[in-house]
Each structure stands twice: as C-alpha cells, then as structure tokens.
Amino acid sequence: MSFVSLEFLIFIIISLVAYYLLPKKTQWIVLLVVSYLFFLSGGVRTIYYLLFTTTVTYFVARYLSYCNELNEIAKEKGYKLLSRKLKIEKRQIVSLGIVANFAVLFFLKYYQYILGSIDEIMNSDKLSSVKIILPIGISFYMF
C-alpha cells in the first residue's frame, strides 16, 4: 500500500475514526490491529517478523511490570537487597528484549549480504539465491 494512494488515505481515515471512537483504555488495540493490517498489505510472509517482535516486547513489558510490583513490596518491607536485585534483573530483561528485536533487524538487513559473501568465498551461488522479503518500514518499526 503506497503512502500516496487513495487506498492508504481511506485506510488512515478509517483507522483514525476507529481509534478516536474507542475509550482511551482500548485504543491500543486499534493501533495494534492497524499495524498488523498495514504490514499484511506488504504480504502475508512478512507478518512473522512483526509477530515475533510484538510477542517479545509484550512479554518483556509484562515481566517489567511484575518486577515493579515486587519492587514496591520490597521497598515497603525494607528489603533493599531484593530491590537491588530486581533493578539488575530489569536491566537484563530489557537488554534481552532489545537484543532479540535488533537480531530480527540485523537478520533482515544483512542476510543477503552475508550469504552473498559466503557464496563469493566458496565460488558458489547457491546460498545467495535464497531470497527473503523485507517488511515495509521494519527499521522504523524497530526504532
């Protein structure tokens, strides 16, 4: 779907209307569905990247929320050591989520280059003949 098409304009208008008709608490659902629909306009095979990054980010956020709740309890009870441990654990889980998401971006951006280089070293063309489809705006989505 091109950004300068009538189809995109209609898509945006319907998306905005749906977004503003819903209560604030559920507007995130519209954004999630619209993101998936936009990604699907580029092809069904690209949706797996978005599913992976959404799932990783969701579970990282859920775990951070859990750690924050535990941290509040630890602070109330005066457990400073547990509070410090949770702070370290939160940094680790955020780092893991960032690495997982950037691994997808790295794979999509450099897969062809790496396979082409291996083929060149091996005087072959078998690996670089495998093509992957780059999703629309993957770099924008990741950042």
Side-chain angles (χ1 to χ4, degrees), residues 7-8 15 18 20 31 36 47 59 69 73-74 78 117 126 142:
E7 179 184 34
F8 182 74
S15 300
Y20 285 111
L31 293 178
Y36 273 85
I47 202 70
F59 283 110
E69 290 172 14
I73 294 169
S117 298
K126 293 179 183 175
M142 290 294 178

Side-chain angles (χ1 to χ4, degrees), residues 2-112:
S2 172
F3 290 121
V4 291
S5 68
L6 181 61
E7 179 184 34
F8 182 74
L9 180 63
I10 293 168
F11 177 75
I12 288 296
I13 290 170
I14 291 171
S15 300
L16 286 171
V17 168
Y19 178 80
Y20 285 111
L21 285 178
L22 289 174
K24 286 227 183 263
K25 193 172 187 175
T26 57
Q27 287 176 338
W28 69 270
I29 297 170
V30 173
L31 293 178
L32 183 64
V33 169
V34 167
S35 294
Y36 273 85
L37 289 174
F38 183 72
F39 246 71
L40 281 171
S41 73
V44 176
R45 295 185 340 190
T46 62
I47 202 70
Y48 300 113
Y49 308 121
L50 187 63
L51 274 171
F52 176 78
T53 57
T54 303
T55 304
V56 166
T57 305
Y58 174 77
F59 283 110
V60 165
R62 291 290 301 218
Y63 192 73
L64 288 176
S65 177
Y66 171 73
C67 285
N68 285 336
E69 290 172 14
L70 281 179
N71 196 24
E72 289 300 316
I73 294 169
K75 283 182 180 178
E76 286 175 9
K77 305 256 184 194
Y79 300 142
K80 292 180 182 180
L81 185 60
L82 178 61
S83 186
R84 276 188 249 136
K85 185 179 179 200
L86 285 169
K87 186 176 181 180
I88 292 168
E89 201 167 309
K90 284 176 15 179
R91 283 186 188 151
Q92 290 172 339
I93 196 72
V94 167
S95 297
L96 181 66
I98 290 170
V99 167
N101 282 320
F102 276 109
V104 171
L105 183 62
F106 180 81
F107 171 76
L108 291 172
K109 291 284 191 175
Y110 297 107
Y111 175 78
Q112 282 307 131

